[in-house]
Amino acid sequence: MAKYIDVHPDNPQPRAIGQVAESIRQGGLIVYPTDSCFALGCQLGSRDGIERIRTIRRLDDRHHFTLVCQNFAQLGQFVHVDNDVFRAVKASTPGSYTFILPATREVPRKLLHPKKRTVGVRIPDHKVVQALLAELGEPLVSSTLLLPDEEEPLTQGWEIKERLDHQVDAVLDSGDCGTEPTTVIDFSSGEAEIIRKGAGDISRFE
């Protein structure tokens, strides 16, 4: 059964955040809130966690996983960003954007797009996930919690706990965080290509 951990949205309790981080370090798969909607997350090197995300969401090997990073310095370890792209990404973070960029060697092969060798990255503007990332000290491998055959992500932590009780190890809840996923911008060619219109303003990339 999954642990259900309810925290304050603005001042998440350090002990609770530490509990969730420890579950991740031990190979656990968690559900956690972001500034767009709930997401599934696991440790960077966890093959089992990645496969469990694929199973829950029925994803194929062309799906772009996202590395959810605490800050720009951390993001820069995992993707190649040239000067023009740097300015565009920097101006939009933290926020509800996922950027697809060429991956560095720090990214496990399992996470790469098989042909493009790219990965998604984002820096969320959400106090709870920022606290978790600070405690963890590394990015979370992440994917929007959108279940197969459903049009919108789940929004209530208690419902997620009921639905995924035997498929995840912990549900971190700080209240409703909406149904609109991130805006996805592909910068892998050097030019902005809007892949998905979501919670982030797209006008700066058009």
Side-chain angles (χ1 to χ4, degrees), residues 9 31-40 96 122 125-126 143-147 150-157 159-160 172-182 196 198-200:
V31 174
Y32 69 100
T34 76
D35 50 346
S36 54
C37 47
F38 278 99
L40 293 156
S96 300
R122 68 170 297 217
D125 187 13
H126 192 283
S143 183
T144 301
L145 180 50
L146 181 60
L147 297 178
E150 297 197 9
E151 292 186 7
E152 289 197 336
L154 299 174
T155 62
Q156 303 293 329
E159 183 186 1
I160 293 167
L172 179 60
D173 190 10
S174 63
D176 190 337
C177 53
T179 60
E180 198 170 17
T182 57
R196 180 178 72 198

Side-chain angles (χ1 to χ4, degrees), residues 127-185:
K127 289 180 180 176
V128 173
V129 67
Q130 279 289 339
L132 179 59
L133 292 167
E135 176 68 26
L136 199 58
E138 63 179 44
L140 266 175
V141 175
S142 190
S143 183
T144 301
L145 180 50
L146 181 60
L147 297 178
D149 306 320
E150 297 197 9
E151 292 186 7
E152 289 197 336
L154 299 174
T155 62
Q156 303 293 329
W158 60 267
E159 183 186 1
I160 293 167
K161 155 80 167 148
E162 285 185 357
R163 297 275 298 271
L164 298 179
D165 204 19
H166 299 287
Q167 293 176 276
V168 302
D169 298 290
V171 176
L172 179 60
D173 190 10
S174 63
D176 190 337
C177 53
T179 60
E180 198 170 17
T182 57
T183 290
V184 180
I185 311 292

Side-chain angles (χ1 to χ4, degrees), residues 19-35:
Q19 253 187 303
V20 178
E22 188 54 35
S23 175
I24 295 165
R25 290 188 192 104
Q26 291 178 6
L29 176 62
I30 70 158
V31 174
Y32 69 100
T34 76
D35 50 346

Side-chain angles (χ1 to χ4, degrees), residues 97-100 182-186 193-198:
Y97 298 93
T98 298
F99 299 100
I100 296 171
T182 57
T183 290
V184 180
I185 311 292
D186 189 343
E193 180 186 353
I194 299 165
I195 303 297
R196 180 178 72 198
K197 295 178 182 179

